Amino acid sequence: MTTVTKAGGAPAPTGPGGFLSVRDLQVTFSTEDGPVRAVDGLSFDVDRGRTLGIVGESGSGKSVTNLTVLGLHDPLFTTIDGEIVLDGKELVTATEKELEQLRGNRVAMIFQDPLTALSPFYTIGRQIAEPYMKHTGASKKAAWERAVEMLGKVGIPNPAERARDYPHQFSGGMRQRAMIAMALVCDPDLLIADEPTTALDVTVQAQILDLLKDLQREFGTAIVFITHDLGVIADMADDIMVMYAGRAVERGTVDEVLRAPRHPYTWGLLNSMPRLDSDLATPLEPIPGTPPSLLTPPSGCRFHPRCAFRDRVGGDRCVTESPALAPGRSSACHLGAEQKRTIFAEEIRPRLG
Ligand code: SF4
C-alpha cells in the first residue's frame, strides 16, 4: 500500500492493505450504445482515522467508485471486477443482505443533496433514531436520546426540540448537518462523503468540514471525500487520488500532490482553480476540451487529446501506450521524472502565484 506522511503530522500506517482496500476495480455499465467502462483498474487504500480525497471532473468515475464500494450500483446493468475489501471482508461477492448490514452500520455515506437522504414524511429525530435501532437493537427511547445527542454533536441548537422537526423546517446547512448525524449515528468505520458541501455557502461549508474533522478525531473514522474542489481537499484530506476518465492518474499525500504535482491533468486542475490572492483581472485557465466519452475512450493516455505536453514525450507514445500508475507516490504519465519537475517549476508554478 501507499506509504504516506501527512505534512507536519504522524506517519501513516503501513501494511499490506488499508482498512478499505480496493484492487484493480473495474466497473462496466451495459448501455444501449454498448459497454461503458466507468472505472478502469483502480487501486487504493484508506486507513482508519485518515481521509482520502478523490478529485476529478464530472464523469471521472469518482462517484461510481464509491457507489460501488457501498453496493449501490444496479446489479442488472453493472459488471464489477476486482476486489473491494473492508476490514478483511470481500464486498464484491457479498450478498445484498450482507451489504445492507454494512450500510449505515459500518459504512455510511453523505450526499451532496440532503433531500436525497432525508424523507420529507418523518421527523429528523426519527430518521436518525431508526438506523440506530435497526443496527444496534436499542430501544425506541434510547435511540431517540441518541438521535438528540447526535444532533447536538453536529451543532444543531436545541436538539431535543429540533429533533421533532421535519426536514422542510431545517435550513440547507442544518439539513446537511442532520444528514451527517444520520450517517454517523452508528459510529461507522468508513464514511464516504460525495461533494457534501458543494451546495452550501462558504461559511457553512467551513463549519461542516470542521465538524467532519472533529467527528473523525472522535470516532477514528476512515473518510473517502469526493470533490472537484482542490481547496476543500487541501483542507480535509491526508492523501489524494486524482481521477481522469475512469482511471487514477496521480496519487500521493496532500502535501506531495499539491506542492509538487506531476501529472499534466493535475496541473490543469490547479491552474483552473480560483485563488483568493490572485488578481481579479487574471482570467482562470480552464483545461481545454472536455472529458472524453467512456463509450469510446481515447487510445493510449486518455488525457492526450487535451494535453499540452504530449509533444515533449516524443513519438506517438502518448497516443498508443497507456501510462501505468505505480504503487505509492506516483503519476501515470510518460514524461520523465526530471521533465515533470522542470515543467512544474518553470512553467506551471509561476502561473499559480
Ligand atoms: Fe500528457 Fe502524454 Fe503525460 Fe498523457 S502521458 S499526460 S498525454 S504527456
Side-chain angles (χ1 to χ4, degrees):
M1 68 169 286
T2 313
T3 302
V4 283
T5 307
K6 187 173 186 181
T14 56
F19 173 66
L20 170 68
S21 179
V22 173
R23 289 290 172 273
D24 199 20
L25 181 68
Q26 305 194 15
V27 182
T28 311
F29 299 132
S30 305
T31 74
E32 284 181 353
D33 297 317
V36 168
R37 174 77 45 93
V39 175
D40 191 16
L42 200 63
S43 299
F44 61 90
D45 295 295
V46 192
D47 283 301
R48 289 176 195 269
R50 290 185 72 83
T51 299
L52 171 71
I54 304 184
V55 70
E57 292 164 292
S58 302
S60 59
K62 51 194 197 310
S63 295
V64 172
T65 301
N66 289 292
L67 289 174
T68 308
V69 168
L70 287 166
L72 291 174
H73 52 277
D74 184 337
L76 278 183
F77 299 101
T78 315
T79 308
I80 297 172
D81 294 298
E83 276 181 14
I84 303 172
V85 179
L86 181 76
D87 200 15
K89 166 94 186 128
E90 167 56 67
L91 302 189
V92 171
T93 52
T95 63
E96 182 48 38
K97 202 169 166 211
E98 289 170 322
L99 288 170
E100 204 175 302
Q101 181 58 29
L102 279 175
R103 286 194 294 261
N105 183 11
R106 301 203 65 194
V107 185
M109 186 154 184
I110 306 172
F111 299 92
Q112 181 178 339
D113 177 6
L115 292 178
T116 57
L118 295 170
S119 162
F121 304 115
Y122 300 108
T123 63
I124 296 278
R126 178 170 170 182
Q127 294 186 62
I128 300 171
E130 274 191 351
Y132 189 68
M133 275 196 295
K134 181 177 163 196
H135 291 295
T136 66
S139 67
K140 214 169 169 180
K141 182 168 178 290
W144 183 265
E145 283 168 3
R146 171 76 174 166
V148 171
E149 180 199 342
M150 288 307 295
L151 284 174
K153 269 195 200 313
V154 298
I156 301 289
N158 306 321
E161 221 170 278
R162 300 307 302 258
R164 297 181 202 289
D165 284 352
Y166 289 84
H168 74 270
Q169 294 170 284
F170 272 34
S171 68
M174 282 168 66
R175 281 198 289 263
Q176 199 71 6
R177 285 165 192 262
M179 187 168 55
I180 292 172
M182 196 161 96
L184 295 178
V185 68
C186 295
D187 296 347
D189 299 309
L190 173 68
L191 178 69
I192 294 176
D194 192 347
E195 304 271 10
T197 57
T198 304
L200 303 173
D201 70 54
V202 282
T203 316
V204 181
Q205 171 171 312
Q207 288 170 356
I208 300 271
L209 297 183
D210 283 345
L211 175 67
L212 284 174
K213 283 187 272 189
D214 288 347
L215 294 169
Q216 182 181 47
R217 267 193 291 275
E218 186 176 347
F219 296 115
T221 320
I223 299 180
V224 177
F225 200 99
I226 305 164
T227 181
H228 62 276
D229 186 337
L230 283 169
V232 169
I233 288 283
D235 189 25
M236 274 304 290
D238 300 290
D239 306 307
I240 301 186
M241 180 167 70
V242 181
M243 287 190 71
Y244 185 76
R247 293 178 177 167
V249 295
E250 178 156 12
R251 70 165 151 239
T253 64
V254 163
D255 202 42
E256 287 166 340
V257 175
L258 296 187
R259 274 184 211 279
R262 296 178 184 168
H263 196 281
Y265 178 61
T266 316
W267 297 339
L269 287 178
L270 284 165
N271 241 346
S272 57
M273 224 175 77
R275 300 175 67 88
L276 278 178
D277 54 354
S278 66
D279 182 348
L280 282 179
T282 312
L284 295 175
E285 291 182 55
I287 304 171
T290 51
S293 158
L294 294 178
L295 257 178
T296 50
S299 59
C301 171
R302 289 186 171 178
F303 188 56
H304 85 253
R306 302 173 76 186
C307 183
F309 302 94
R310 60 190 247 208
D311 293 343
R312 316 238 189 138
V313 169
D316 59 357
R317 204 168 158 215
C318 293
V319 180
T320 58
E321 192 185 320
S322 176
L325 189 73
R329 169 77 181 114
S330 179
S331 64
C333 171
H334 295 312
L335 291 166
E338 193 48 45
Q339 257 180 318
K340 289 174 191 168
R341 261 193 295 277
T342 312
I343 294 173
F344 180 68
E346 294 176 2
E347 299 176 46
I348 308 294
R349 193 160 43 203
R351 296 216 296 267
L352 298 178

